[in-house]
Amino acid sequence: MSAVEPRTPRVDFGYTTGTLRGGFFSFRLPVRVVAVSAVLALVAAALGIVALTLGDYPLSVAEVVRTIGGGGERFHRLVVLEWRMPVVLAALVFGAVLGVGGAIFQSLTRNPLGSPDVIGFDAGSYTAVVVTILVLGTRDYASLAAAAIVGGILTAVVVYVLAYRRGVQGFRLIIVGIGVSAMLGSVNSYLITRADLQDAMAVGFWGAGSITRVTWTSLVPALVGFCLIVLAAAALAPSLRRLELGDDAAVTQGTRVGLVRLALIVVGVATTALVTAAAGPLGFIALVAPQLARRLTRSPGVSLLGAAAMGATLLVSAHLLSLVVASAYRPVPVGLITVCVGGLYLIWLLVREARRQAATS
């Protein structure tokens, strides 16, 4: 006679979870995370539609919706679908990508300051692109994307080596990254001052972070990269959750810690490289999005899905604000808006983190 072994009850930490299964991986998602992410996605889509109405040729929301649905006048289709739609889609896609990158590094460093732009990977990608444009004289998307990825990875290696001291602590990694980012900024400034006036102005405007020059030609490769990043992040998400428990606990659950951490770093750097190559550095989206999503979802850890939805909402909101400012004054790159808003958040976060470190020491 065989007895049925009772199942160990699953702890759900106060929120209901659902299970997603696929051919290669399976993982649980809190229902609240899915619900909040869906609401954020709807808000981002609504803001994107509003952004499609603004510009030198204003349109109504009804005209935009009619045009997207296949109707409308021929000129309206040209304005909405050919000129404005790639920019709005870029805001949604790039914001989501940056949110995923920020969530990955904040989970790896176990610190809310751990994002590619703060650690210095963003600056490494930017420096590599500046060298490619000003020194090598190449501006095609494939070369810029490759340079951005290589620059980000090299910066990641340098920061990791400098921060290593019997292991790598998250806060030490961040401090070293800030210093490396400052040094790379001086290199960028030197290269710009030595360049021709026209090239210097082009790189300076590009370095401010602008998505207004994105077209379908440059957006399609970015969409392909976005799909690859999403698939890789989804496949690595369960391992990322196990790493948050600590290396020893992750090893006992069958996780190859070194290989998984390396894969996560490559995916995280790729998020920054993708955006930097197409639109220039867009600061602080990767820093802010995961933490805001975590507070809305009330999840115990950083959620990749929530961070992506929040990143898309933040960047499309910044794009909409830049259009409003442009209609009243003059065009403002969206990167300057994200830096201004994110800088205030960074100051608050640094003060809070310093107080926490002082309290625990």
Side-chain angles (χ1 to χ4, degrees), residues 192-338:
I192 292 175
T193 57
R194 300 291 296 178
D196 295 335
L197 179 59
Q198 185 176 1
D199 292 339
M201 291 180 62
V203 172
F205 181 78
W206 176 83
S210 176
I211 60 176
T212 55
R213 60 182 175 273
V214 174
T215 62
W216 285 114
T217 303
S218 60
L219 181 61
V220 171
L223 291 177
V224 174
F226 170 74
C227 294
L228 295 176
I229 288 174
V230 168
L231 291 176
L236 293 170
S239 299
L240 181 62
R241 298 282 81 83
R242 290 192 288 268
L243 285 178
E244 290 178 347
L245 302 176
D247 290 356
D248 294 337
V251 170
T252 60
Q253 298 182 38
T255 301
R256 301 175 65 179
V257 174
L259 183 60
V260 169
R261 183 175 285 115
L262 176 61
L264 286 168
I265 290 176
V266 171
V267 172
V269 171
T271 62
T272 299
L274 176 71
V275 177
T276 303
L282 301 175
F284 294 103
I285 296 294
L287 175 70
V288 177
Q291 293 302 312
L292 292 182
R294 181 181 180 182
R295 283 163 173 76
L296 286 179
T297 59
R298 300 176 185 174
S299 58
V302 178
S303 167
L304 296 180
L305 179 63
M310 178 59 72
T313 304
L314 290 176
L315 190 53
V316 77
S317 300
H319 172 57
L320 181 59
L321 181 58
S322 69
L323 293 176
V324 173
V325 173
S327 63
Y329 183 55
R330 63 178 59 181
V332 177
V334 69
L336 298 182
I337 294 178
T338 61

Side-chain angles (χ1 to χ4, degrees), residues 18 20 28-40 297 303 305-306 309:
L20 298 181
R28 291 190 176 94
L29 283 177
V31 173
R32 183 180 178 88
V33 171
V34 176
V36 171
S37 300
V39 172
L40 288 174
T297 59
S303 167
L305 179 63

Side-chain angles (χ1 to χ4, degrees), residues 78 82 126 301 310:
L78 177 64
E82 296 296 328
Y126 175 52
M310 178 59 72

